[in-house]
Amino acid sequence: MDLTYTEEEEDFRARLREWLAKVLPGLPPKPAAIDWPGRRAYDAAWQRMLYDAGYAGLHWPRDAGGQGATPTQHLIFLEETERAGAPYVGASFVGLLHAGPTIAAEGTAEQRARWLPPILRGDEIWCQGFSEPDAGSDLAALRTRAVRDGDTYVVSGTKIWTSHAEVADWCELLVRTDPAAPRHRGISWLAMPMDAPGVTVRPLRTLAGSTEFAEVFLDEVRVPVGNRVGAENDGWRVTMVTLSFERGTAFVGEVVACRRVLGALARTARANGRWDDAVLRRRLGRLSAEFAALWRLTQWNVSEAMGVPPARAKSRAWGSGGGVPGVGGSVFKLRYSHARQELYDAAAEVLGAGALDADHAWVADRLSSLSYTIAAGTSQIQQNIVAERILGLPKGR
């Protein structure tokens, strides 16, 4: 893998830094973590700024409304925006990093034209309706049913941990369209309008006090057949595309953030006298190596998503691979989830009694880190994927 930067890439970095330095001081204060309507407006406004400046969907292919940037330019964008303290995607997370790329890879021309531009502009927010109360990590056990009635599906069931449901316009929804089929068949991927009659949203308050998740109750909700992405009963395959994005490339900006936090931890330890603890220094040093390795794995996964060998990754965007990450995303997600928890355990050690201060940003991040070994597929699920699909081990019984 060629990790050097070309003159063109350095020019891109310089232009981006200049733009960030100009616009970031003028941003309004960020809303409180519990104010999701306010955060939706804030995140959508930032997305519109990116769109107007030509940075929205930077790595998306041009025929999907993106900029067709190379993998290296995409990673430079993530590095520079994080280092500058720019807003994260926030409420736009599902649309930009899950649903949008899935529609770009699997949707019809009409679907791409309908849904991708509003996602890129920040006009429409998406939520993820995958998990169910009785399914958990066994996604194939979902029971939400969609019965075909002419040119619509009549959907009934319950979803849980539905990310950003209370502020979303659309939901990427998994439903069972053939209950007689084997578990991994008979599933379809639908785009459901959240304002449709029969949709009830009940926010769930997290350990950190926020409500970015919700229960969603569906009572004979009518969804047009034209909102199905992929063929009927082929939703499991389409879902694997979505989860490949979620596990493979959706967290890349957070790796940069963790490396920034690690640097701040080291400075805090030096300032409060904890740097004299050799065990703590070794712990922070090992975490530094861990996140450096995860960043290299990120570069590999993003290159793989472009469908080109890493040695040639700078020359193309979303090539023969269709922009879909491979199973290496499970390796990344598995290790990143645990490394993030270890990072904030170390932060608690550095802060000492300050780790009990609920107003400290690291405290909220530590609470959030506890969910990462569950979100986007539990660590146990990722271990199975790595064992079976990468190492070729037999399936467990």
Side-chain angles (χ1 to χ4, degrees), residues 344 351 354-368:
Y344 286 104
L351 290 175
L356 301 177
D357 182 0
D359 293 329
H360 198 294
W362 289 347
V363 174
D365 287 340
R366 188 189 187 202
L367 295 176
S368 174

Side-chain angles (χ1 to χ4, degrees), residues 286-311:
R286 184 183 60 77
L287 283 168
S288 178
E290 183 94 41
F291 283 108
L294 281 169
W295 182 246
R296 295 307 185 211
L297 182 57
T298 292
Q299 292 175 308
W300 180 278
N301 285 339
V302 171
S303 298
E304 185 182 38
M306 303 305 114
V308 295

Side-chain angles (χ1 to χ4, degrees), residues 15 30 53 72 85 170 182 221 231 258 263 277 299 310 328:
R15 293 194 304 272
K30 188 174 182 178
T72 304
W170 292 90
V221 180
C258 285
D277 185 338
Q299 292 175 308

Side-chain angles (χ1 to χ4, degrees), residues 206-223:
T206 69
L207 183 65
S210 182
T211 56
E212 64 262 36
F213 301 116
E215 290 179 289
V216 176
F217 302 93
L218 308 171
D219 183 13
E220 297 189 347
V221 180
R222 289 190 168 269
V223 179

Side-chain angles (χ1 to χ4, degrees), residues 31-371:
I34 60 174
D35 178 14
W36 272 103
R39 291 180 67 177
R40 173 194 163 132
Y42 181 88
D43 296 337
W46 171 246
Q47 184 61 30
R48 182 63 195 226
M49 292 177 67
L50 291 174
Y51 180 84
D52 292 340
Y55 292 116
L58 189 68
H59 62 300
W60 287 23
R62 293 189 183 278
D63 64 4
Q67 304 300 315
T70 66
T72 304
Q73 288 173 323
H74 179 208
L75 294 175
I76 289 173
F77 173 81
L78 294 171
E79 283 185 300
E80 294 301 325
T81 51
E82 176 58 41
R83 287 172 177 168
Y88 189 50
V89 290
S92 299
F93 185 90
V94 175
L96 285 169
L97 304 180
H98 299 172
T102 302
I103 293 167
E106 297 289 334
T108 65
E110 293 78 9
Q111 290 170 339
R112 288 154 65 98
R114 166 59 187 89
W115 286 311
L116 297 184
I119 290 174
L120 290 173
R121 292 193 301 263
D123 294 342
E124 294 180 346
I125 301 299
W126 285 65
C127 62
Q128 186 181 67
F130 283 15
S131 298
E132 295 187 6
D134 295 325
S137 295
D138 186 9
L139 188 58
L142 67 89
R143 297 181 181 178
T144 296
R145 295 183 63 174
V147 179
R148 183 81 174 256
D149 181 20
D151 60 357
T152 65
Y153 290 108
V154 181
V155 181
S156 295
T158 304
K159 296 293 180 176
I160 197 168
W161 311 123
T162 310
S163 306
H164 306 314
E166 66 175 312
V167 294
D169 303 294
W170 292 90
C171 178
E172 53 174 7
L173 184 72
L174 291 188
V175 296
R176 189 164 294 284
T177 41
D178 184 357
R183 292 186 343 134
H184 293 83
R185 302 178 189 272
I187 294 173
S188 297
W189 197 108
L190 304 180
M192 181 185 72
M194 290 298 288
D195 61 355
V199 177
T200 301
V201 176
R202 185 166 70 186
L204 295 170
R205 191 165 298 278
T206 69
L207 183 65
S210 182
T211 56
E212 64 262 36
F213 301 116
E215 290 179 289
V216 176
F217 302 93
L218 308 171
D219 183 13
E220 297 189 347
V221 180
R222 289 190 168 269
V223 179
V225 171
N227 286 20
R228 187 191 66 233
V229 176
E232 185 171 282
N233 300 327
D234 192 34
W236 184 258
R237 184 191 61 79
V238 178
T239 300
M240 292 304 100
V241 173
T242 305
L243 294 179
S244 293
F245 284 112
E246 185 175 31
R247 296 165 185 168
T249 57
F251 291 119
V252 291
E254 297 190 32
V255 175
V256 182
C258 285
R259 298 180 77 180
R260 175 179 52 79
V261 169
L262 186 60
L265 272 179
R267 292 190 294 272
T268 301
R270 288 187 176 95
N272 66 14
R274 295 184 181 273
W275 192 251
D276 294 335
D277 185 338
V279 174
L280 176 62
R281 291 200 307 273
R282 283 195 296 271
R283 186 177 189 181
L284 295 181
R286 184 183 60 77
L287 283 168
S288 178
E290 183 94 41
F291 283 108
L294 281 169
W295 182 246
R296 295 307 185 211
L297 182 57
T298 292
Q299 292 175 308
W300 180 278
N301 285 339
V302 171
S303 298
E304 185 182 38
M306 303 305 114
V308 295
R312 295 172 48 236
K314 292 183 181 181
S315 63
R316 296 174 58 184
W318 287 33
S320 59
V324 180
V327 291
S330 288
V331 177
F332 169 84
K333 197 276 174 181
L334 176 64
R335 189 53 224 158
Y336 171 72
S337 299
H338 292 273
R340 184 182 176 93
Q341 290 182 355
E342 292 168 11
L343 171 66
Y344 286 104
D345 284 346
E349 187 176 347
V350 170
L351 290 175
L356 301 177
D357 182 0
D359 293 329
H360 198 294
W362 289 347
V363 174
D365 287 340
R366 188 189 187 202
L367 295 176
S368 174
S369 75
L370 299 176
S371 70

